[in-house]
Amino acid sequence: MGISLAAIACFGAVVGLQMPRLQTIRATGDTITPAQIKQDLAAEEVRLQLWRRIPSFGFDNLLADWVFLQFAQYFGDDPARDQNGFGLSPKYFEIIVDRDPKFLGAYVPLATSISLYAAQPEKSIALMNQGLKSMTPQTPPRSYFVWRLKAIDQLLFLGDGVGAKNSFLTSAAWANTYPDQESKTLAAASQQTAQFLAQNPKSKNAQVMAWTMVLGNVPDERTKKIAMQRLESLGAKLVTNPDGSMSVLNPPTD
């Protein structure tokens, strides 16, 4: 009981530190100034340093969940991000991956915010490598997805076709350990992308497939718009189907 009470007190302190920020946001609304945004960013850095050092008393996953919620608020604050960028994104995920490396749902926003918006793909890949050390093909379920995300970062942001090919092959191997059709389909897609890269490490078709994966897995419209623009720049054709879904046709030449 003592440990549990200590943990509750610990997280209560974290929530308490966060409340002034929430009250400021409510009070200022849309009138927040650049100076206030900069001040809030500095305060958030201090909070991140605290969260990184704070003991969790065995509740690491709870702390990771809390930090992820704070990241969602940070990422979704469009006015602040337009002015100050996404430089804190890696700091959130350093804590999350350290505390709960099997938190599968964190890896898509990790890769998107760090590689695409903070322009630090090396950091994104390093964090995914750290997480993958704690994973097996079955733990957590569908962990093959992290290998796909790593491959996408390697291909699209580092131009590392060979490394991306190997990551796609590992993703396919892990996905093939599952009997369901979705996993088999994803395994086949990863295998096909690896084949494109084996033939041509700069393959446009492989890049199109990677951006299509981004388009199909990110929830925010800002990232989807970027993915669509990149697909069109590669010569892919975007077709809206009668049911509202979108099909992506590969460019005529690779």
Side-chain angles (χ1 to χ4, degrees):
M1 179 61 73
I3 292 178
S4 296
L5 289 175
I8 291 170
C10 174
F11 286 111
V14 173
V15 173
L17 286 168
Q18 190 69 6
M19 287 307 297
R21 180 188 186 202
L22 296 175
Q23 291 167 355
T24 299
I25 292 171
R26 291 192 188 102
T28 57
D30 294 333
T31 64
I32 191 166
T33 66
Q36 288 172 316
I37 292 174
K38 187 174 181 179
Q39 184 179 10
D40 188 60
L41 196 66
E44 185 70 355
E45 284 200 70
V46 173
R47 281 186 284 268
L48 283 163
Q49 292 173 10
L50 171 64
W51 294 334
R52 184 154 194 172
R53 296 192 302 266
I54 198 167
S56 65
F57 301 101
F59 290 85
D60 280 332
N61 59 335
L62 183 60
L63 179 58
D65 289 346
W66 170 257
V67 174
F68 184 75
L69 290 174
Q70 305 318 300
F71 163 76
Q73 181 175 288
Y74 167 84
F75 184 82
D77 188 353
D78 290 341
R81 299 292 69 74
D82 288 343
Q83 292 190 46
N84 294 97
F86 295 81
L88 291 185
S89 289
K91 296 183 182 296
Y92 287 98
F93 288 104
E94 285 171 357
I95 300 169
I96 293 167
V97 174
D98 182 58
R99 300 289 184 145
D100 189 5
K102 297 176 184 176
F103 184 0
L104 198 62
Y107 284 91
V108 168
L110 179 159
T112 302
S113 65
I114 298 177
S115 293
L116 188 58
Y117 291 111
Q120 298 182 47
E122 296 91 347
K123 183 63 177 179
S124 174
I125 290 170
L127 285 168
M128 283 188 272
N129 282 336
Q130 179 182 337
L132 284 165
K133 291 178 182 178
S134 299
M135 298 183 192
T136 68
Q138 299 292 325
T139 307
R142 303 183 188 279
S143 53
Y144 57 80
F145 198 68
V146 180
W147 280 105
R148 283 166 61 86
L149 292 172
K150 177 184 171 183
I152 289 170
D153 273 12
Q154 289 172 303
L155 175 61
L156 297 182
F157 302 109
L158 294 184
D160 181 7
V162 175
K165 179 198 72 174
N166 293 332
S167 294
F168 276 122
L169 287 174
T170 304
S171 176
W174 284 30
N176 272 323
T177 65
Y178 292 81
D180 62 283
Q181 187 56 51
E182 179 184 8
S183 296
K184 296 298 183 186
T185 299
L186 291 175
S190 293
Q191 185 74 41
Q192 184 179 11
T193 308
Q195 289 173 353
F196 283 140
L197 290 170
Q199 296 166 5
N200 177 9
K202 304 288 186 182
S203 169
K204 284 185 179 180
N205 284 327
Q207 294 178 60
V208 165
M209 293 188 76
W211 278 116
T212 301
M213 294 174 201
V214 173
L215 183 63
N217 287 290
V218 294
D220 63 293
E221 292 302 318
R222 175 170 48 191
T223 308
K224 288 182 179 179
K225 184 176 180 180
I226 292 174
M228 292 169 68
Q229 291 172 342
R230 299 293 178 89
L231 285 164
E232 289 174 342
S233 71
L234 288 165
K237 185 176 181 181
L238 305 179
V239 179
T240 302
N241 301 316
D243 62 358
S245 62
M246 184 172 291
S247 297
V248 180
L249 305 181
N250 281 355
T253 59
D254 196 18

